[in-house]
Amino acid sequence: MVNRKKILLTVLFLLICSLFDAASQSKLKQKIEWKEDPNAFEYKVELKNLADGTTDTFTTEKSSVTFSKPAGKYQYRITAYDFLGRESSVSRWQPIEFVKALKPKVEKVKEKVEVKPKLTESGKAVADTKIEIPVDIESVTKDSKVELVNPSTNEKIPAQIVFDRASDEKEKGSSEKKAQKILVSDVKGGDWKIRVTNPGGFTAESEQLVKIEKITDEELARFEEEKRQEKQRMEEARLAEEKRLEAERLAKEEAERQRLEAERLAEEEAARLAREEAELLEREEKARLEAAKIAKEIAERDAAERQAKLEEEERARKEAERLEAERLAKEEADRLEAERLEREEAERLAKEEAARLEAERLAREEEERAEKLRRARQKKLAVKKKAAKPAKDIILTGAFGIALDTQDTVLSELHSSSTVFSPHGCLMYLPLKSKDYGWRFGSQLNASYMTFTKSYDYAEVDTSALAASFDFVLQRRLFADQAMLELKAGGGLMVFETSVTYKNLDKDNPSDKFYTQPLAMAGLGLMVIPVKHLVFEFGADYNYCKVSGENLFLLRTYLGMGLRF
């Protein structure tokens, strides 16, 4: 019976509120102002309702008038009269709209907003005074006024409404919209509330405080230094690329020069061989002509001797035998002489052939010697390239993983689940490498962050843990230079921050407490390098430390990406 009475009273109260709200919304006040005419004694204002065509007339001596009309679209016209009651001027019909007076609702506000740094044109880091604050505000219009209000100093900062696009499309044509965020141009640090005022005069203020944290000079200096270093790294990469291109151009020019030189030497050698062949043919032709001349002379001499012999035979028979014998002896001598000359010519030709063959042998030896020198130079360059020391690697990665308590003792006391999400960052330096680049050795700075929440009937305990360690890293190449297997081991510290929030208890929350414990770490991972400066890394780290006398064993798997320098 009691519950029925409560329900009836509640329904009756809501009905009365809705009727009161409808009565308050039935007629809305709207003020019309115009420029005052110094010669006007009185003004007549005509207000026409575009829905039903009715026109209301008002007279006033002021340059403004206030109406109380239902929401809708209207037109108005101003007529000025002088002190004699004559019309001095009549304005054109002007449109005006009476909008519904909505009561805004501030549903959700982001509790903490950080001011981001930015760089000026001169390269100096300054704080960006323009920020966006995510909100959830209902029942606002494009003419609503939004501002930040400081509860302590009552200072106010104007803001700009940014409407939700989906809500704007859905409620297109309606004045009632939903705000998604607000923009503040001249932000100041401190705790602020968001106040919304609609054109109808209704105001709403956020219950939550928005904490705006100003950026420090140290953070600005660090941001400026990071941007400067990034610009310097880009410039160094550009210079290295220019040097590489210049080296490739010089190598191409040197190869082209060697090719042209080889072609020139081959052409000169062919021309020399052609000249020697021509000279040999010329000498052979001269020898042939000389032999023909000698043979002709011998023939002419033999003919003269035979003629003389015949004449002598005619003169004396006795002398004929002697002359015949002399002739035979002479012919034998001539034959022997011709054989001797032929042997000498053959020996000369043989010597020339031997000289030509010797020249060809020397040319082949010269070519073989040049080929050996070229191969020796190539082998020496290959040895130098192989002996060149590899560059040192600096790898910066960021990852996101899941931490799991393998003993399920400590984590269950800190957190409602046995797994915790954990962001992770790592800076790795690998200065030592084997000759074949198969093994690499170095160190890394490793940091991860975890949050634990445990709820009880009377309180809620939030614990944040920051694990930082210095580890030694050993990498083994799996294939080419695209994948590396990693072994890690090291130690560091794990810092815990614990805060307690009491529920439904009239007592102050205790101050946050900090604990620092030594940390041991070991891990196994796989690093994939698809391109020169981009890496992907995934693996698992095993962390151990003592918390309140208990052993905490965390197996943290992660997946991330980063840059390689």
Side-chain angles (χ1 to χ4, degrees):
M1 189 67 181
V2 176
N3 291 334
R4 289 183 179 180
K5 288 183 178 180
K6 288 183 178 180
I7 294 173
L8 290 174
L9 289 175
T10 303
V11 172
L12 182 61
F13 175 76
L14 293 176
L15 182 60
I16 292 172
C17 290
S18 61
L19 292 175
F20 175 78
D21 182 63
S24 63
Q25 302 294 338
S26 60
K27 289 188 178 182
L28 307 172
K29 290 185 178 181
Q30 184 76 24
K31 186 177 183 182
I32 299 177
E33 295 181 331
W34 58 89
K35 186 177 181 181
E36 185 177 1
D37 187 353
N39 299 320
F41 177 75
E42 188 180 49
Y43 299 96
K44 181 178 72 172
V45 182
E46 298 174 84
L47 183 65
K48 180 187 293 185
N49 190 334
L50 297 180
D52 55 12
T54 59
T55 303
D56 295 327
T57 303
F58 304 88
T59 58
T60 180
E61 297 178 357
K62 300 179 180 180
S63 59
S64 64
V65 65
T66 301
F67 296 99
S68 179
K69 291 290 183 181
K73 293 184 178 181
Y74 296 82
Q75 284 184 341
Y76 71 92
R77 182 173 64 179
I78 310 296
T79 304
Y81 295 89
D82 58 14
F83 70 96
L84 296 177
R86 298 175 299 182
E87 291 186 2
S88 60
S89 63
V90 180
S91 69
R92 292 181 299 174
W93 286 100
Q94 301 290 334
I96 187 172
E97 182 178 0
F98 285 65
V99 296
K100 181 181 178 181
L102 304 172
K103 182 173 182 60
K105 299 178 183 179
V106 182
E107 300 290 344
K108 184 179 179 182
V109 178
K110 188 173 182 180
E111 296 182 354
K112 183 178 180 181
V113 179
E114 296 181 355
V115 179
K116 303 295 183 180
K118 68 175 183 179
L119 287 179
T120 62
E121 294 182 356
S122 61
K124 182 175 179 61
V126 297
D128 190 356
T129 58
K130 295 182 179 181
I131 64 171
E132 295 182 357
I133 302 177
V135 296
D136 189 0
I137 305 176
E138 295 183 353
S139 301
V140 290
T141 68
K142 62 181 181 180
D143 297 324
S144 297
K145 178 183 177 182
V146 180
E147 56 189 358
L148 299 183
V149 180
N150 192 316
S152 302
T153 63
N154 204 26
E155 184 181 359
K156 300 177 181 179
I157 300 177
Q160 179 184 354
I161 298 178
V162 178
F163 292 103
D164 184 6
R165 290 185 178 180
S167 175
D168 200 8
E169 291 293 333
K170 183 178 179 181
E171 301 175 4
K172 193 171 183 181
S174 174
S175 60
E176 183 177 355
K177 300 180 183 299
K178 182 177 180 180
Q180 172 179 29
K181 57 185 176 181
I182 62 173
L183 302 179
V184 186
S185 299
D186 189 11
V187 69
K188 296 181 181 179
D191 295 332
W192 303 82
K193 285 190 174 183
I194 297 178
R195 180 181 294 170
V196 184
T197 304
N198 278 350
F202 288 106
T203 301
E205 193 173 272
S206 64
E207 296 180 358
Q208 296 175 326
L209 289 175
V210 180
K211 184 176 183 60
I212 301 178
E213 295 187 350
K214 299 284 284 184
I215 193 168
T216 64
D217 294 339
E218 291 79 4
E219 292 174 338
L220 290 174
R222 184 167 63 252
F223 177 78
E224 184 175 341
E225 179 64 19
E226 289 176 355
K227 292 297 182 181
R228 185 190 65 78
Q229 291 179 358
E230 181 180 356
K231 184 178 180 182
Q232 182 178 359
R233 287 194 298 269
M234 293 176 64
E235 182 66 19
E236 290 175 354
R238 184 185 65 80
L239 293 175
E241 181 66 15
E242 290 180 354
K243 289 181 179 179
R244 184 184 67 79
L245 294 175
E246 180 66 17
E248 289 181 356
R249 184 185 64 80
L250 293 175
K252 290 180 180 179
E253 290 180 354
E254 179 63 20
E256 182 66 16
R257 186 189 64 78
Q258 291 180 359
R259 185 184 65 79
L260 294 175
E261 181 67 17
E263 290 179 355
R264 184 184 64 79
L265 292 176
E267 292 175 355
E268 291 179 354
E269 181 64 19
R272 184 184 64 79
L273 293 176
R275 288 196 301 272
E276 291 180 354
E277 185 68 22
E279 291 175 358
L280 178 60
L281 293 174
E282 184 179 358
R283 287 194 297 271
E284 290 178 351
E285 183 65 21
K286 286 182 179 180
R288 188 183 63 78
L289 294 174
E290 184 67 23
K293 181 181 179 181
I294 294 173
K296 184 178 179 182
E297 290 177 354
I298 293 173
E300 290 177 353
R301 186 171 65 250
D302 290 343
E305 288 178 354
R306 284 193 301 272
Q307 183 65 29
K309 183 179 179 182
L310 291 172
E311 291 177 356
E312 186 67 23
E313 288 176 352
E314 289 293 331
R315 288 189 299 269
R317 293 189 188 97
K318 292 182 178 181
E319 191 69 16
E321 293 179 359
R322 185 181 62 80
L323 291 175
E324 184 65 21
E326 289 178 354
R327 185 183 66 80
L328 294 174
K330 184 65 174 174
E331 287 179 356
E332 182 66 17
D334 291 338
R335 185 183 64 78
L336 294 174
E337 182 64 17
E339 290 177 358
R340 183 184 65 79
L341 291 175
E342 288 178 358
R343 285 194 302 270
E344 289 178 357
E345 183 64 20
E347 290 175 358
R348 184 181 64 79
L349 294 175
K351 289 180 180 179
E352 289 179 356
E353 182 66 19
R356 185 179 66 81
L357 294 175
E358 181 66 15
E360 291 178 356
R361 184 185 63 81
L362 292 176
R364 286 195 300 271
E365 290 178 356
E366 181 65 22
E367 290 178 357
E368 292 174 358
R369 186 178 64 81
E371 181 65 20
K372 289 181 179 179
L373 289 176
R374 186 181 65 80
R375 291 179 179 177
R377 285 196 297 268
Q378 290 180 350
K379 186 176 181 181
K380 187 175 181 181
L381 289 175
V383 171
K384 286 184 177 180
K385 289 181 179 179
K386 187 174 181 180
K389 293 183 178 180
K392 300 176 175 62
D393 283 350
I394 299 177
I395 302 173
L396 178 62
T397 59
F400 193 78
I402 299 175
L404 171 65
D405 186 359
T406 57
Q407 300 295 325
D408 197 17
T409 56
V410 179
L411 189 58
S412 61
E413 297 179 0
L414 299 176
H415 195 49
S416 58
S417 175
S418 61
T419 58
V420 179
F421 291 101
S422 171
H424 165 67
C426 175
L427 177 61
M428 188 180 298
Y429 178 58
L430 301 171
L432 302 178
K433 302 180 181 180
S434 61
K435 291 183 178 180
D436 60 351
Y437 308 158
W439 292 94
R440 302 186 181 189
F441 182 75
S443 59
Q444 71 172 12
L445 292 176
N446 187 11
S448 59
Y449 181 76
M450 294 167 285
T451 58
F452 312 96
T453 301
K454 188 73 172 182
S455 296
Y456 300 93
D457 294 338
Y458 60 90
E460 184 175 284
V461 180
D462 294 324
T463 303
S464 301
L466 176 63
S469 64
F470 178 80
D471 312 319
F472 293 100
V473 181
L474 179 63
Q475 288 188 347
R476 172 60 180 173
R477 181 177 61 194
L478 296 181
F479 53 88
D481 284 328
Q482 305 300 316
M484 307 295 293
L485 181 64
E486 297 178 338
L487 296 175
K488 308 174 184 179
L493 296 175
M494 180 173 285
V495 180
F496 294 90
E497 179 187 4
T498 302
S499 62
V500 179
T501 304
Y502 289 110
K503 302 177 181 179
N504 304 322
L505 293 179
D506 189 12
K507 59 184 302 185
D508 295 335
N509 297 325
S511 301
D512 295 348
K513 295 183 180 180
F514 293 86
Y515 305 94
T516 302
Q517 299 293 337
L519 171 71
M521 175 272 188
L524 177 65
L526 178 64
M527 180 175 292
V528 180
I529 309 173
V531 293
K532 183 176 181 181
H533 296 295
L534 180 65
V535 298
F536 290 94
E537 183 182 14
F538 57 90
D541 294 342
Y542 205 74
N543 297 333
Y544 166 74
C545 70
K546 277 187 172 293
V547 180
S548 301
E550 297 290 339
N551 295 321
L552 176 61
F553 297 91
L554 283 180
L555 176 62
R556 187 171 52 81
T557 59
Y558 60 89
L559 173 62
M561 64 180 296
L563 299 176
R564 174 172 173 255
F565 306 96

